[in-house]
C-alpha cells in the first residue's frame, strides 16, 4: 500500500515551517521512487537540473543519472525542465522517472511490438504522456507521429487500441510542433471512414470528429480534402444520437467547415440552416432537414444543453447570419434592371399598378407619388435610399420577402399610412431600411463568433427563413409602436430607440419560437416601456435629497462589507476554469478555491468539470495570500502574450486575469463568464485590501442600498411597533396533518 504522503510531509517539515523563510532560490520538495523511502531535499534553483537529478539518483544508488528526470507526482505529472523548473513550489511532491527521451524510445518500441497486450498498454501510457510537451517533442523527433499514422492507416486496430492511438495522435498534434499539412490523404480517408461508419465505438467517433475539426481549423489544404470526404448527411446522422458529446463534436465540425470555407463558395452555395452544402455530394435531404434535426434532437431534446453545445449552437447561428454580410455591404446599383424591378414590384403589390397610363409623363408622376406613399426618402429615384451600407440591398431583400410572403400585412401597413393626412403616417420604406440596419447591429451580422459565448436564440432554429421572419415581426412592431406614440416624421429617431429597446428586451427573455417572440413584444408596448423606464429611473433618482444622501453614505460601508463577505465565501467554494491553449476548444480543466481561513489559495488540475465542491485534499498546489503582489487583467496578463486563442477574441481578453506572486510567478485564469470574472476579481481585491470595483459590485451595491433605503424609509405612521417580539405559538396537539399543494 502506498504510504500517506501528506502525513510524511507534515512530519518531516513541521519544524521547518516555524523557521525563517528560505531564500527565494531554494525550494523544499519531496521526491519519490517506487519501492523506496521518499527523499526530502532542498533544490537550489541556481544549480543545473542535471546536477539535482544526479544527487537524487545517488541517494538511491542509481547509476546513469542522464537516463532519469523529475516529474510532478500529482496532477498532469508533467516533466520538469530548465524552462519550467521555476514553477516548483515549496512543499511540492515530485517523482523520479525515466527521462522523456528514454520513455519515448521505449514506448515507440512497445507500440510496434507483436504482443497485443503489450501494445495496448503502451498506447494507453502514450495517450497519457502525449499531453506533456517535453515528452511530445522527444516522441515526435523519433518520427512517432508517422508511426501512429501508419497504425491508423493500416486499419488493423479496433476498440480501445484504436481509441488510445487517436487520443495520442490528437494530443501530439495539438502541441503545434508538426504541421497538419503533412497528414496524408490515406490517413484522412481512414479517419473520415470512422465518422461515416454507421456503427462505431463512441470514443473512436469522438476523437475522429475532433481530429477532422483540428485539420480543418489548422490547414487550408486539409479543408478541401476533408470537405471531399465528409457530407452534411453523414454528420446529420450523428446529430440524431442521444450522446450530447457526439452531437457537440459533429456541430463543431460543421462549424469548422463553415468557418474555413472560401468566401466565394459560401455565397455560391447559399449556406444556411436549411441549405448547408459543405460538399457537392451533400444530399438535398440532408440540407433540408439539418435545421429541423438540430431543433428536434438537440434544442428540444431530453437532456439540458451543456455549455459547449450552447457555444457551438451560438457559433452556427453567428456564421449563418454572417452570410447576410455581403448583401448588407452591397450598395444598390441603379443601373441594375433586376434590382429596379424589385422596387417596381413593391409598388405594384402595394397599389396594383398593372394598368399604368400609357403617357410617360403621367406614369412618372404616378410612380413618384406612389414612392412617396411607400415611404421612400428619395421619391424620384428610390434606389438612392439603398446606397448606404449597412444595410445596403439587404433591406430591399427584406421588403420583398414581406411583400411576397406576407402580402396582406405589407399592403395593410402601406395603405393605412399612405391614406393618412394628419402627418402621423409611418414611412414604410425609411422604417424598413433603418430597421434592417438595427437588426444587423443587434445580431452582430458580420462579426466573428466570440470564444466562450453561449448566447444562441432557439427561435432562429424554428424556421427555414428565420432572419426574414424576424424582420416581418419587427416591422409590424415598429408600425404598432409608431401609432401608439402618435409619432410624426420628426419623431423617427425616438421611435427607433423605443423599438430597439422592445426588441432587445424581448430577445433577452430567450423566446423559444417566433410566436413566443410576438407574445413577448405584445407585452412590451409603448406604455410598458415607459413604465419600465420610469421604474428604472425612480430606482436611480429617488434618493437625491441631502438627508437621504447622508443616510446612504452611512449605510454603504455595511453593504460593502456584506458584498465582501459574499465574494470571499464564493472564493472558498471555488470555481472551475478551462485551460485555454492554441486550439479553439479545450477539454482540460482546473479548480481553484480559497482556504476557509482566507490565507491560502488551493488549486489543481481536473479531468472533467466537477459536480460540486472539490475537496482541498485533491488540490495539490497552493499559493499563500501573503505572497500575492498584485492582480492584473486583460491584455496585461502574462498568458495573453502567449495564447493565440485568447488574443484573437475579445471575450478571452475581457475574462482573463492573473495573480502575480513572489518571486516573479503568475497564476493565469480565464473565467468561464463575466459573473465568475467579477466574483474572482472582487474577492482577490478584498483579500489584498483593495477596493472592489467590478460592474457586479456596483450593481449589487446599488440594488442592496436601494432595498435597504426603501426598508428604512417605509411609512410607519399609525403603525404600532411592539417593544417586545410576539410570543411563539404553542405547539399543535398533533402533527397528523398535511397540506395539499394540488
Amino acid at each position: 500500500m502506498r504510504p500517506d504522503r501528506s502525513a510524511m510531509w507534515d512530519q518531516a517539515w513541521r519544524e521547518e515551517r516555524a523557521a525563517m523563510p528560505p531564500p527565494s532560490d531554494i525550494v523544499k520538495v519531496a521526491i519519490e521512487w517506487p519501492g523506496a523511502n521518499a527523499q526530502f531535499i532542498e533544490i537550489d534553483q541556481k544549480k543545473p537540473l542535471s546536477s539535482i537529478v544526479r544527487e537524487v539518483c545517488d541517494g538511491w544508488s542509481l547509476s546513469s543519472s542522464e537516463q532519469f528526470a523529475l516529474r510532478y507526482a500529482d496532477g498532469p505529472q508533467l516533466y520538469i525542465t530548465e524552462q519550467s523548473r521555476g514553477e516548483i513550489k515549496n512543499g511540492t511532491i515530485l517523482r523520479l522517472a525515466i527521462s522523456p527521451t528514454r520513455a519515448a524510445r521505449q514506448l515507440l518500441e512497445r507500440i510496434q511490438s507483436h504482443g497485443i497486450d503489450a501494445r495496448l498498454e503502451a498506447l494507453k501510457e502514450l495517450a497519457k504522456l502525449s499531453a506533456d510537451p517535453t515528452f511530445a517533442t522527444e516522441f515526435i523527433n523519433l518520427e512517432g507521429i508517422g508511426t501512429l499514422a501508419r497504425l491508423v492507416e493500416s486499419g488493423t486496430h479496433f476498440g480501445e487500441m484504436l481509441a488510445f492511438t487517436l487520443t495520442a495522435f490528437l494530443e501530439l498534434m495539438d502541441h503545434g510542433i508538426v504541421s497538419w499539412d503533412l497528414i496524408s490523404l490515406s490517413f484522412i480517408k481512414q479517419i473520415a471512414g470512422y465518422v461515416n461508419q454507421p456503427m462505431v465505438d463512441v470514443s473512436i467517433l469522438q476523437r475522429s470528429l475532433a481530429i477532422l475539426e483540428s485539420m480543418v481549423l489548422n490547414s487550408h489544404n486539409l479543408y478541401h480534402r476533408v470537405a471531399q470526404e465528409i457530407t452534411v448527411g453523414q454528420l446529420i446522422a450523428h446529430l440524431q444520437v442521444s450522446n450530447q458529446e457526439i452531437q457537440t463534436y459533429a456541430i463543431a465540425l460543421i462549424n469548422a467547415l463553415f468557418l474555413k470555407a472560401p468566401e466565394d463558395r459560401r455565397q455560391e452555395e447559399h449556406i444556411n440552416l436549411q441549405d448547408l452544402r459543405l460538399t457537392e455530394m451533400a444530399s438535398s435531404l440532408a440540407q433540408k432537414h439539418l435545421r429541423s434535426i438540430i431543433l428536434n434532437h438537440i434544442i428540444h431534446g431530453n437532456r439540458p444543453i451543456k455549455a459547449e453545445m450552447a457555444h457551438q449552437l451560438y457559433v452556427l447561428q453567428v456564421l449563418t447570419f454572417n452570410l447576410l454580410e455581403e448583401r448588407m455591404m452591397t450598395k444598390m446599383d441603379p443601373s441594375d434592371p433586376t434590382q429596379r424591378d424589385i422596387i417596381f414590384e413593391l409598388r405594384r403589390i402595394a397599389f396594383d399598378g398593372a394598368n399604368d397610363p400609357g403617357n410617360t409623363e403621367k406614369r412618372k408622376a404616378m410612380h413618384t407619388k406612389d414612392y412617396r406613399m411607400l415611404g421612400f426618402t428619395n421619391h424620384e429615384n428610390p434606389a438612392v435610399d439603398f446606397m448606404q451600407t449597412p444595410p445596403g440591398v439587404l433591406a430591399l431583400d427584406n421588403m420583398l420577402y414581406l411583400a411576397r410572403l406576407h402580402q396582406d400585412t405589407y399592403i395593410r401597413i402601406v395603405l393605412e399610412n399612405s391614406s393618412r393626412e394628419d402627418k402621423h403616417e409611418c414611412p414604410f420604406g425609411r422604417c424598413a431600411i433603418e430597421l434592417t440596419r438595427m437588426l444587423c447591429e443587434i445580431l452582430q451580422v458580420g462579426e466573428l463568433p466570440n470564444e466562450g459565448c453561449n448566447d444562441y436564440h432557439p427561435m432562429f432554429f424554428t424556421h427555414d427563413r428565420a432572419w426574414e421572419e424576424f424582420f416581418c415581426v419587427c416591422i409590424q412592431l415598429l408600425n404598432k409602436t409608431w401609432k401608439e406614440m402618435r409619432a410624426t416624421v420628426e419623431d423617427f429617431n425616438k421611435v427607433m430607440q423605443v423599438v430597439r429597446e422592445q426588441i432587445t428586451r424581448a430577445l433577452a427573455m430567450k423566446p423559444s419560437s417566433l410566436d413566443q417572440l410576438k407574445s413577448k413584444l405584445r407585452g412590451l408596448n409603448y406604455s410598458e416601456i415607459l413604465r419600465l423606464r420610469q421604474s428604472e429611473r425612480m430606482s436611480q433618482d429617488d434618493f437625491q435629497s441631502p438627508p437621504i444622501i447622508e443616510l446612504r453614505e452611512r449605510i454603504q460601508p455595511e453593504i460593502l462589507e456584506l458584498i465582501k463577505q459574499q465574494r470571499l465565501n464564493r472564493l472558498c467554494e471555488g470555481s472551475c476554469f478551462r485551460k485555454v491553449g492554441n486550439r479553439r476548444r479545450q477539454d482540460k480543466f482546473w479548480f481553484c478555491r480559497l482556504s476557509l481561513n482566507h490565507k491560502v489559495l488551493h488549486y489543481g488540475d481536473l479531468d472533467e468539470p466537477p459536480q460540486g465542491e472539490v475537496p482541498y485534499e485533491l488540490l495539490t498546489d497552493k499559493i499563500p495570500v501573503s505572497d500575492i503582489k498584485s492582480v492584473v487583467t486583460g491584455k496585461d496578463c502574462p498568458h495573453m502574450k502567449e495564447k493565440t486563442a485568447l488574443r484573437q477574441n475579445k471575450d478571452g481578453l475581457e475574462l482573463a486575469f492573473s495573480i502575480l506572486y513572489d518571486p516573479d510567478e503568475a497564476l493565469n485564469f480565464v473565467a468561464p463568464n463575466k459573473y465568475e470574472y467579477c466574483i474572482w476579481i472582487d474577492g482577490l481585491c478584498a483579500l489584498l485590501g483593495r477596493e472592489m470595483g467590478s460592474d457586479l459590485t456596483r450593481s449589487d451595491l446599488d440594488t442592496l442600498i436601494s432595498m435597504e433605503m426603501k426598508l428604512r424609509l417605509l411609512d410607519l405612521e399609525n403603525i404600532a411597533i411592539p417593544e417586545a417580539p410576539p410570543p411563539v405559538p404553542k405547539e399543535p396537539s398533533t402533527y397528523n396533518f398535511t397540506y395539499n399543494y394540488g
Side-chain angles (χ1 to χ4, degrees), residues 86-147:
E87 300 174 7
I88 302 175
K89 309 296 186 302
N90 279 315
T92 301
I93 301 176
L94 307 179
R95 176 179 298 159
L96 186 66
I98 61 174
S99 67
T101 304
R102 183 180 171 191
R105 187 178 297 108
Q106 288 182 356
L107 282 177
L108 192 59
E109 293 173 355
R110 289 165 58 193
I111 64 176
Q112 298 179 86
S113 65
H114 297 292
I116 295 179
D117 292 340
R119 189 183 304 175
L120 177 61
E121 287 301 315
L123 288 170
K124 184 176 182 179
E125 187 176 349
L126 177 63
K128 182 179 179 181
L129 279 174
S130 295
D132 189 316
T134 306
F135 171 84
T137 302
E138 299 296 337
F139 190 80
I140 290 171
N141 289 339
L142 296 173
E143 304 295 333
I145 285 184
T147 301

Side-chain angles (χ1 to χ4, degrees), residues 229-435:
E229 300 294 331
I230 298 295
T231 68
V232 176
Q234 290 152 346
L235 294 177
I236 281 180
H238 300 307
L239 300 180
Q240 301 179 67
V241 300
S242 59
N243 188 319
Q244 191 172 122
E245 295 297 323
I246 296 298
Q247 293 175 325
T248 303
Y249 278 100
I251 292 187
L253 179 53
I254 291 176
N255 288 337
L257 289 163
F258 198 165
L259 185 65
K260 293 299 181 178
E263 191 66 29
D264 55 347
R265 184 172 184 179
R266 294 188 207 176
Q267 300 301 335
E268 288 173 3
E269 295 173 353
H270 304 289
I271 305 177
N272 56 44
L273 287 178
Q274 178 192 20
D275 186 16
L276 185 58
R277 296 187 180 93
L278 296 178
T279 72
E280 295 178 358
M281 298 182 293
S283 67
S284 59
L285 183 64
Q287 300 158 12
K288 182 177 180 181
H289 292 305
L290 176 60
R291 179 197 58 78
S292 62
I293 286 174
I294 291 176
L295 180 67
N296 295 328
H297 290 271
I298 298 176
I299 297 177
H300 292 165
N302 296 327
R303 300 186 178 185
I305 293 179
K306 297 180 181 178
E308 181 59 29
M309 173 60 83
H311 173 67
Q312 295 301 336
L313 292 174
Y314 155 77
V315 172
L316 183 57
Q317 172 186 291
V318 170
L319 295 177
T320 302
F321 283 144
N322 281 358
L323 294 171
L324 303 169
E325 183 180 14
E326 184 185 20
R327 299 291 288 173
M328 180 183 74
M329 300 307 295
T330 300
K331 296 181 180 180
M332 186 168 183
D333 182 3
S335 63
D336 186 345
T338 303
Q339 296 180 353
R340 289 204 312 270
D341 289 344
I342 294 176
I343 296 179
F344 293 154
E345 185 173 356
L346 291 174
R347 174 192 167 276
R348 180 190 60 76
I349 294 174
F351 305 114
D352 192 22
N355 298 319
D356 285 343
N359 186 288
T360 303
E361 292 298 324
K362 289 184 178 181
R363 183 166 62 249
K364 183 176 181 181
M366 180 178 289
H367 286 186
T368 300
K369 178 183 176 183
D370 290 346
Y371 292 145
R372 182 184 299 109
M373 295 169 67
L374 275 171
F376 288 112
T377 303
N378 192 308
H379 310 146
E380 299 290 337
N381 185 8
V384 176
D385 288 14
F386 300 96
M387 297 293 286
Q388 183 179 0
T389 59
V393 294
L394 181 60
L396 186 61
D397 297 340
N398 287 340
M399 296 166 69
L400 182 62
Y401 181 88
L402 175 68
R404 286 179 175 175
L405 277 81
H406 299 273
Q407 195 169 111
D408 292 343
T409 300
Y410 169 70
I411 294 173
R412 174 177 56 80
I413 292 175
V414 172
L415 293 185
E416 75 177 16
N417 285 288
S418 62
S419 61
R420 303 185 67 165
E421 298 180 355
D422 56 359
K423 297 184 179 180
H424 290 288
E425 68 276 2
C426 175
F428 169 75
R430 182 183 175 189
C431 287
I433 293 171
E434 181 61 22
L435 178 63

Side-chain angles (χ1 to χ4, degrees), residues 43 120 146 164 182 261 336 362 466 469 483 532 565 595 603 624:
I43 292 180
L120 177 61
F164 288 133
L182 300 177
D336 186 345
K362 289 184 178 181
E469 289 294 324
K483 290 187 290 185
L532 291 171
Q565 292 304 318
S595 63
Y603 64 98

Side-chain angles (χ1 to χ4, degrees), residues 345-624:
E345 185 173 356
L346 291 174
R347 174 192 167 276
R348 180 190 60 76
I349 294 174
F351 305 114
D352 192 22
N355 298 319
D356 285 343
N359 186 288
T360 303
E361 292 298 324
K362 289 184 178 181
R363 183 166 62 249
K364 183 176 181 181
M366 180 178 289
H367 286 186
T368 300
K369 178 183 176 183
D370 290 346
Y371 292 145
R372 182 184 299 109
M373 295 169 67
L374 275 171
F376 288 112
T377 303
N378 192 308
H379 310 146
E380 299 290 337
N381 185 8
V384 176
D385 288 14
F386 300 96
M387 297 293 286
Q388 183 179 0
T389 59
V393 294
L394 181 60
L396 186 61
D397 297 340
N398 287 340
M399 296 166 69
L400 182 62
Y401 181 88
L402 175 68
R404 286 179 175 175
L405 277 81
H406 299 273
Q407 195 169 111
D408 292 343
T409 300
Y410 169 70
I411 294 173
R412 174 177 56 80
I413 292 175
V414 172
L415 293 185
E416 75 177 16
N417 285 288
S418 62
S419 61
R420 303 185 67 165
E421 298 180 355
D422 56 359
K423 297 184 179 180
H424 290 288
E425 68 276 2
C426 175
F428 169 75
R430 182 183 175 189
C431 287
I433 293 171
E434 181 61 22
L435 178 63
T436 301
R437 185 190 65 79
M438 179 195 298
L439 296 182
C440 289
E441 290 179 357
I442 292 174
L443 297 178
Q444 299 179 329
V445 174
E447 296 187 16
L448 288 176
N450 289 325
E451 183 68 29
C453 183
N454 304 332
D455 190 24
Y456 80 98
H457 296 279
M459 71 175 184
F460 291 129
F461 293 86
T462 62
H463 201 283
D464 294 335
R465 303 294 294 273
W467 164 263
E468 291 85 350
E469 289 294 324
F470 184 49
F471 169 83
C472 294
V473 171
C474 293
I475 193 67
Q476 295 178 72
L477 168 71
L478 195 159
N479 185 61
K480 173 174 170 286
T481 302
W482 187 284
K483 290 187 290 185
E484 291 173 350
M485 295 178 66
R486 291 191 56 78
T488 63
V489 175
E490 288 76 15
D491 300 317
F492 183 85
N493 290 332
K494 293 180 181 179
V495 175
M496 297 308 297
Q497 290 173 4
V498 173
V499 171
R500 175 186 282 270
E501 187 172 346
Q502 290 171 315
I503 294 172
T504 52
R505 286 182 183 270
L507 288 177
M509 300 178 194
K510 297 291 184 182
S512 60
S513 66
L514 289 166
D515 288 337
Q516 198 173 101
L517 173 68
K518 295 176 185 177
S519 175
K520 301 291 185 187
L521 291 173
R522 280 194 295 271
L524 288 169
N525 54 36
Y526 180 53
S527 298
E528 178 64 12
I529 293 296
L530 289 179
R531 188 193 69 78
L532 291 171
R533 287 179 173 179
Q534 179 69 11
S535 175
E536 292 169 358
R537 189 163 50 246
M538 288 289 290
S539 65
Q540 298 172 1
D541 302 335
D542 269 354
F543 311 117
Q544 300 302 321
S545 62
I548 301 300
I549 293 176
E550 181 181 351
L551 177 60
R552 181 187 180 94
E553 291 174 350
R554 293 179 60 182
I555 292 174
Q556 183 164 320
E558 302 174 21
I559 303 300
L560 282 173
E561 182 62 27
L562 183 66
I563 295 173
K564 174 183 174 181
Q565 292 304 318
Q566 189 271 341
R567 299 295 193 263
L568 292 176
N569 289 340
R570 279 287 290 107
L571 262 62
C572 290
E573 295 174 7
S575 298
C576 180
F577 300 92
R578 175 168 290 178
K579 286 191 173 182
V580 177
N582 290 326
R583 286 187 70 217
R584 183 175 53 80
R585 187 181 71 254
Q586 294 289 321
D587 297 314
K588 298 178 182 178
F589 305 89
W590 66 288
F591 197 89
C592 186
R593 63 184 297 194
L594 179 66
S595 63
L596 297 179
N597 61 7
H598 300 172
K599 293 184 178 181
V600 180
L601 279 174
H602 298 263
Y603 64 98
D605 293 333
L606 301 175
D607 294 330
E608 58 185 19
Q611 299 301 317
E613 288 188 3
V614 177
Y616 291 106
E617 295 77 17
L618 298 181
L619 305 177
T620 56
D621 299 309
K622 56 187 177 182
I623 300 174

